[in-house]
Amino acid sequence: MARVTLRNISKSYGQLEVIRDLSLDIEDGSFTVFVGPSGCGKSTLLRMIAGLEPITGGDLMIGGTRANDLDPVARGIAMVFQNYALYPHMTVEKNIAFSLKMAGYGRAEIARRVAEAAEVLQIGHLLGRRPANLSGGQRQRVAIGRAIVRDPAVFLFDEPLSNLDAELRVSMRSEIAQLHQRLTNTMIYVTHDQTEAMTMADRIVVLREGRIEQTGTPQELYEDPANAFVAGFIGSPRMNFLPARASGSALELPGGARLGCAGDGLPRELSLGIRPEAARPGREGGGLRLEMEVALVEYLGGTRYLHGHLADGTAMLIEARSAAGIRPGDRLPFTCPLEALRAFAPDGARLRSLSLLPAEPETA
Ligand SMILES: Nc1ncnc2c1ncn2[C@@H]1O[C@H](COP(=O)(O)OP(=O)(O)OP(=O)(O)O)[C@@H](O)[C@H]1O
Ligand SMILES: [Mg+2]
């Protein structure tokens, strides 16, 4: 087991800087997830930790040792790839045993470790098969088995579930999370799927264009996002952003909605974030009152998504437990408690100094 520290890490391909002065502490035994949009540098970061990609600048520490120039094998790391990277001509057993054989382990020790991994992953009955004769989920289990037998200090996963169908993704997701509880090795897991990040991580690192936007527990990122990018990336369906104008002690919102506000140095134009699950159809409940024109009602069984727009055309999606009688074309009032609203400056920074207050009653 090992702690992994990145200190002022940078990476360039020629003139293109893809990781920019990135510093991060990954606790020993933690399950850390790197999440971010395509091209933000997740795989590059993981490959630098694994030793598959040279580091341009900064220090990589693994278990207290500077590892920038260490051979991949000497780093005590095992990596599981998206495409499994199994040897097609070898049986499952040989695939799992291969790295141990290369490392010179004895026959008995190899057999013991393979049996143990097969037991943990429940693939004992597949040991004699070749990868071509396995399902996607079984192949992914073999790939994980190959990593487990080496008993690495750190496991790296690069989008290991993205080739699986939706149902299998959900079950493998919980299997990997349970594997972590059992093995307690440090695990670093890359995904662009915020649901995977939310459900699996102890700690999420949100990346954007080679920089860290925010690091925190899933709950911290969901409830207390540092900026509009994180607020929009974490949470599903995505947070709604409404244009708002501060005028004195009032905040003017689309469709004539108003709130009271107080705070120092507020920008005149700002944006107000509302999570779909925080909004409630109807006029009951205090807080912000708005109205949307419904364009589409999506039925998901236990819940419904109401898609539409506000009077000024701003797109809006709210979640409702029941949508009896709500039809496309309806004007639907809804409310949102003030404590669920998040305010952002035009550059996306969170406006923490802004206090929202109920609208003052209209004076005649
Ligand atoms: N070998 C390379 N040569 C030049 N540019 C590269 C190379 N590998 C990656 N890049 C660039 O570095 C950036 C980061 O790539 P990376 O693969 O780390 O992204 P990612 O976050 O893993 O994306 P995805 O979610 O699509 O896998 C991208 O702009 C990519 O085009
Ligand atoms: Mg990638």
Side-chain angles (χ1 to χ4, degrees):
M1 277 168 269
R3 178 189 185 90
V4 177
T5 303
L6 311 179
R7 223 179 272 146
N8 308 109
I9 292 285
S10 65
K11 172 72 185 176
S12 299
Y13 292 107
Q15 297 289 9
L16 180 70
E17 192 177 33
V18 297
I19 300 291
R20 302 151 200 256
D21 193 22
L22 187 149
S23 296
L24 178 67
D25 255 322
I26 296 170
E27 298 284 329
D28 183 11
S30 70
F31 196 116
T32 298
V33 175
F34 294 168
V35 69
S38 184
C40 71
K42 305 179 294 293
S43 296
T44 302
L45 211 46
L46 210 61
R47 293 170 60 81
M48 287 194 288
I49 296 171
L52 302 173
E53 197 67 70
I55 297 170
T56 308
D59 299 307
L60 166 68
M61 313 290 290
I62 299 174
T65 310
R66 189 171 188 275
N68 290 49
D69 305 315
L70 275 188
D71 189 73
V73 177
R75 295 185 187 203
I77 277 175
M79 185 150 165
V80 178
F81 298 90
Q82 176 179 350
N83 59 6
Y84 322 130
L86 301 176
Y87 301 109
H89 58 288
M90 290 184 196
T91 62
V92 166
E93 182 170 15
K94 293 223 164 85
N95 261 286
I96 296 177
F98 185 73
S99 68
L100 299 177
K101 210 168 151 191
M102 286 291 117
Y105 284 87
R107 193 178 283 199
E109 178 63 11
I110 293 177
R112 192 187 66 75
R113 290 193 183 205
V114 171
E116 200 176 286
E119 156 98 41
V120 168
L121 297 162
Q122 294 170 21
I123 50 172
H125 59 297
L126 304 174
L127 289 174
R129 290 205 205 162
R130 283 172 206 245
N133 304 326
L134 299 175
S135 72
Q138 290 168 337
R139 278 179 217 172
Q140 193 51 273
R141 255 174 273 222
V142 176
I144 295 170
R146 220 168 37 171
I148 289 179
V149 286
R150 295 170 51 195
D151 192 24
V154 184
F155 277 101
L156 306 179
F157 295 91
D158 194 356
E159 309 227 20
L161 308 185
S162 52
N163 286 338
L164 305 179
D165 67 43
E167 199 179 331
L168 203 50
R169 281 177 83 125
V170 174
S171 70
M172 284 300 291
R173 195 163 87 194
S174 71
E175 279 186 36
I176 293 177
Q178 287 174 43
L179 190 68
H180 177 248
Q181 288 170 10
R182 209 167 328 146
L183 299 178
T184 70
N185 307 49
T186 308
M187 293 191 177
I188 308 176
Y189 187 101
V190 161
T191 180
H192 61 264
D193 178 343
Q194 72 86 34
T195 309
E196 272 180 29
M198 288 294 274
T199 53
M200 300 176 84
D202 299 331
R203 215 167 168 71
I204 299 178
V205 178
V206 182
L207 296 164
R208 180 193 196 186
E209 292 175 11
R211 289 201 181 87
I212 296 178
E213 289 284 313
Q214 191 173 1
T215 303
T217 63
Q219 193 177 353
E220 281 164 359
L221 298 195
Y222 179 83
E223 290 177 2
D224 196 14
N227 53 50
F229 179 81
V230 174
F233 198 84
I234 299 291
S236 173
R238 193 171 182 273
M239 181 182 265
N240 300 282
F241 293 98
L242 279 59
R245 172 172 292 161
S247 131
S249 61
L251 207 57
E252 296 164 5
L253 290 142
R258 287 169 79 85
L259 285 176
C261 71
D264 292 332
L266 294 178
R268 200 168 143 68
E269 309 284 341
L270 49 100
S271 106
L272 212 55
I274 303 181
R275 293 209 183 272
E277 57 275 28
R280 298 186 190 124
R283 293 179 200 283
E284 285 85 52
L288 175 60
R289 290 155 181 267
L290 288 163
E291 190 176 87
M292 70 189 273
E293 185 174 326
V294 178
L296 175 71
V297 178
E298 270 183 328
Y299 176 77
L300 286 100
T303 190
R304 286 124 182 99
Y305 295 154
L306 310 178
H307 300 250
H309 45 83
L310 304 178
D312 70 334
T314 300
M316 193 74 208
L317 192 173
I318 71 171
E319 197 176 329
R321 301 296 292 170
S322 132
I326 299 175
R327 307 243 180 292
D330 286 356
R331 297 172 74 83
L332 175 74
F334 65 95
T335 62
C336 181
L338 297 187
E339 62 275 15
L341 297 167
R342 301 286 176 267
F344 304 95
D347 67 358
R350 176 88 176 275
L351 290 170
R352 293 181 191 277
S353 66
L354 174 72
S355 318
L356 295 169
L357 308 161
E360 289 167 27
E362 300 276 328
T363 46

